[in-house]
Amino acid sequence: MRRRVVVVGLGDTGMLTAIGLARHADVLGVSVKPGLLSGQELGMRLTRPDEWARNYWIEFGRLRGLDRVQRAHGEVIGVDLAARTVTIHTADGLTRTEPFDALVIATGVTNGFWRRPTVQSAGEIDTAIAAAHARLADAASVAVIGGGAAAVNSAGNIARRWPDKRVDLYFPRDQALRSHHPRVWRTVSRRLESLGVAIHSGHRAELPHGVAPDLLDAGTVHWATGQPDIHADAVLWAVGQARPNTDWLPTELLDDGGFVRVGPDFRVPGQPGVFAIGDVAATDPLRSSARNRGDKLLVRNVRAELTGGRMRQFRPRPHRWGSVLGPQPDGLQVFMPTGHSFRMPAWSLTPIIQRTIYRGVRPPR
Ligand SMILES: Cc1cc2nc3c(=O)[nH]c(=O)nc-3n(C[C@H](O)[C@H](O)[C@H](O)COP(=O)(O)OP(=O)(O)OC[C@H]3O[C@@H](n4cnc5c(N)ncnc54)[C@H](O)[C@@H]3O)c2cc1C
């Protein structure tokens, strides 16, 4: 008998997990968005939205791998672990309950205006993406606040797309990209300088009311580190205050930060058949299961759980790795955990993403 798996959240990892499981189980994927709206490549999304959408904003009906996956557009608002059901508030205003034999929690994190767990239609998503692009296009000066990959990626892409704008990158320590190998910042900072980004280390921004504004408005930034205030036509806050999307889960499943506790096999301790993956899963300090293709291991382990096979274990890397500036005219520079990099040619990226990773994408209608 085929078993039923419910995947909550069809972002980067939930979508890949659902595709991988579809041949082995009846899969229901629940998503607040009507398509894959990836959290990756913020700078490209802001500066080249049409090009970005080709690989990172794809309505689910276009993803061939999801053809066998039943989908629900809506928000999961609760789980009954004893009855093994989830409750969904659907986009058309209904509430329904769905049973599962195995549950995959892949609800990601909330981070800035670009990653929010709100129910949206395709039209609303298109409008929001276009509005952020227009906002930046109109700004003569842009201040990017933050020292992680999203901030660095955005600053580099904005400077390249609009060489006439003033682009400033501010971060609190002496270096940015502190979760990467130190070689990565040495390489990337040279690239930013060549693109004209003004780099300001040692600037810790005061967060209004303790939280980063999730707008892309003109504004003045005050510094807890004592420097004079600055003003920019657009201030992009990318300070990494990621909050896990776990309000719908019982607190006994969560760690102190609200992330889902998991073992190295992605199982939630003490909850048979319940797994978590991606940015929401407390796999390791960097919560790196998404970029390390944990979805493949999770598919094996869900199958093992349902059929009695052997569980595999996730081995996290000590440093963040992957691309930082994202696709550029000269290709994609990918940094390894050692800080060394290799480059993938620009022409190869869409075929790799669409055919190899997503397993087939239909053209837009
Ligand atoms: C193949 C691949 C390559 C990568 N390469 C890189 C790289 O080079 N560099 C790098 O920095 N990172 C890379 N990453 C990682 C990436 O930055 C993030 O870690 C990844 O986007 C997180 O995916 P996620 O599925 O956990 O979250 P998300 O993609 O955010 O998906 C979560 C989804 O769940 C939805 N949701 C939330 N709550 C609910 C609810 N209650 N009900 C229903 N839906 C809900 C959210 O709105 C969202 O749509 C890569 C990831 C992948 C998969």
Side-chain angles (χ1 to χ4, degrees):
M1 195 187 72
R2 276 170 75 87
R3 312 294 293 278
R4 190 160 203 255
V5 183
V6 173
V7 180
V8 184
L10 292 180
D12 283 318
T13 48
M15 181 267 298
L16 294 175
T17 304
I19 289 175
L21 283 169
R23 282 191 298 132
H24 311 286
D26 289 330
V27 181
L28 168 67
V30 190
S31 174
V32 289
K33 315 294 177 193
L36 169 70
L37 180 64
S38 174
Q40 295 186 57
E41 305 301 355
L42 175 62
M44 188 183 184
R45 169 174 169 165
L46 292 170
T47 58
R48 292 171 280 151
D50 294 339
E51 206 182 318
W52 176 82
R54 194 187 308 150
N55 293 328
Y56 298 110
W57 162 221
I58 303 174
E59 288 196 62
F60 289 134
R62 292 179 50 212
L63 289 159
R64 292 181 197 281
L66 287 181
D67 286 353
R68 288 198 246 190
V69 172
Q70 192 194 344
R71 297 188 301 273
H73 182 195
E75 180 184 6
V76 171
I77 54 172
V79 58
D80 184 332
L81 293 167
R84 303 188 82 69
T85 58
V86 291
T87 303
I88 307 170
H89 189 67
T90 65
D92 43 17
L94 304 174
T95 300
R96 70 188 219 224
T97 299
E98 294 284 349
F100 62 82
D101 296 302
L103 176 69
V104 174
I105 301 165
T107 43
V109 296
T110 297
N111 192 6
F113 62 86
W114 61 95
R115 277 181 87 183
R116 306 196 65 82
T118 46
V119 175
Q120 283 179 302
S121 67
E124 288 167 336
I125 292 169
D126 286 337
T127 302
I129 291 171
H133 173 70
R135 185 80 203 75
L136 275 182
D138 286 348
S141 58
V142 182
V144 181
I145 318 292
V152 170
N153 173 297
S154 300
N157 280 284
I158 294 167
R160 186 171 78 74
R161 172 72 177 77
W162 292 293
D164 295 340
K165 287 190 201 311
R166 180 185 169 94
V167 181
D168 292 275
L169 173 68
Y170 297 91
F171 49 87
R173 307 290 183 91
D174 53 343
Q175 297 196 337
L177 299 178
R178 286 169 49 84
S179 303
H180 291 72
H181 192 284
R183 273 193 198 102
V184 180
W185 175 241
R186 289 204 288 275
T187 308
V188 172
S189 59
R190 283 198 296 272
R191 186 84 187 251
L192 291 181
E193 278 163 358
S194 74
L195 289 166
V197 175
I199 297 175
H200 308 273
S201 60
H203 284 67
R204 182 176 293 281
E206 277 178 10
L207 302 182
H209 316 295
V211 287
D214 57 7
L215 302 167
L216 193 54
D217 283 340
T220 300
V221 183
H222 313 285
W223 305 105
T225 33
Q227 295 90 346
D229 296 351
I230 60 107
H231 179 87
D233 297 337
V235 181
L236 172 55
W237 294 84
V239 292
Q241 283 189 325
R243 297 185 305 284
N245 296 324
T246 49
D247 289 353
W248 59 284
L249 287 167
T251 50
E252 70 257 29
L253 268 54
L254 310 179
D255 69 10
D256 292 344
F259 294 88
V260 183
R261 287 187 291 117
V262 286
D265 53 12
F266 299 146
R267 277 191 294 192
V268 177
Q271 301 293 341
V274 180
F275 298 79
I277 188 164
D279 289 359
V280 78
T283 45
D284 58 288
L286 297 175
R287 291 185 288 273
S288 64
S289 61
R291 83 197 52 215
N292 288 316
R293 289 305 308 269
D295 55 288
K296 291 184 176 179
L297 189 140
L298 176 59
V299 167
R300 296 179 80 125
N301 284 356
V302 172
R303 289 177 65 197
E305 174 93 4
L306 295 176
T307 59
R310 187 168 72 83
M311 292 277 164
R312 307 289 169 109
Q313 306 228 325
F314 176 63
R315 287 190 196 84
R317 310 286 177 92
H319 291 293
R320 223 180 261 283
W321 69 282
S323 91
V324 174
L325 292 177
Q328 303 292 311
D330 59 354
L332 183 79
Q333 186 174 25
V334 180
F335 292 94
M336 303 307 292
T338 57
H340 297 290
S341 69
F342 64 93
R343 198 172 287 280
M344 296 165 67
W347 60 263
S348 71
L349 300 178
T350 291
I352 290 173
I353 294 171
Q354 295 200 354
R355 280 188 225 138
T356 313
I357 301 180
Y358 297 168
R359 310 221 192 136
V361 178
R362 297 186 179 89
R365 264 179 294 161

